[in-house]
């Protein structure tokens, strides 16, 4: 139930032990966890020392309510992820 923004460092997202995406500053993890609580679909592993900004689901909801332009950006990013689940542009080799 945490939303994380990567401020510094690199994180790799894994599903069932298979690396999928490499994320860096400005990318987020945990977005699905705060929007639709359910068992997590992936794991994120720091590849180096990282600085992460974290926010619990209730303050995240309040923040999105106060900043609709950011809420729209989050929705757009999630929609793109769902439209292109096979996108390998950031795939980890």
């Amino acid at each position: 139930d945490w939303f994380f923004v990567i401020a510094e460092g690199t994180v790799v997202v894994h599903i069932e032990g298979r690396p999928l995406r490499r994320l860096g500053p400005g990318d987020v993890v945990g977005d699905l966890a705060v929007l639709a609580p359910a068992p997590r679909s992936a794991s994120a592993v720091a590849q180096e020392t990282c600085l992460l900004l974290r926010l619990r689901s209730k303050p995240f909801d309040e923040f999105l309510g106060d900043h609709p332009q950011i809420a729209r950006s989050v929705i757009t990013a999630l929609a793109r992820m769902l439209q292109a689940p096979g996108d390998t542009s950031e795939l980890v080799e």
Side-chain angles (χ1 to χ4, degrees):
D1 62 345
W2 289 95
F3 175 83
F4 296 90
V5 178
I6 302 167
E8 296 176 6
T10 304
V11 171
V12 173
V13 176
H14 299 261
I15 293 182
E16 297 179 0
R18 191 176 120 235
L20 291 180
R21 295 203 188 293
R22 184 179 320 277
L23 304 175
D27 291 323
V28 300
V29 293
D31 40 349
L32 292 177
V34 296
L35 294 170
R40 65 182 183 198
S41 59
S43 296
V45 179
Q47 299 300 292
E48 58 191 305
T49 301
C50 293
L51 175 62
L52 304 174
L53 309 174
R54 69 180 185 169
L55 195 58
R56 277 206 182 271
S57 58
K58 185 172 172 48
F60 181 76
D61 287 342
E62 292 169 359
F63 179 79
L64 291 182
D66 293 341
H67 299 88
Q69 70 280 15
I70 294 175
R72 184 167 181 77
S73 295
V74 169
I75 292 167
T76 299
L78 289 171
R80 285 186 182 138
M81 185 173 62
L82 292 172
Q83 287 174 335
D87 178 14
T88 60
S89 61
E90 297 177 32
L91 188 65
V92 176
E93 299 283 332

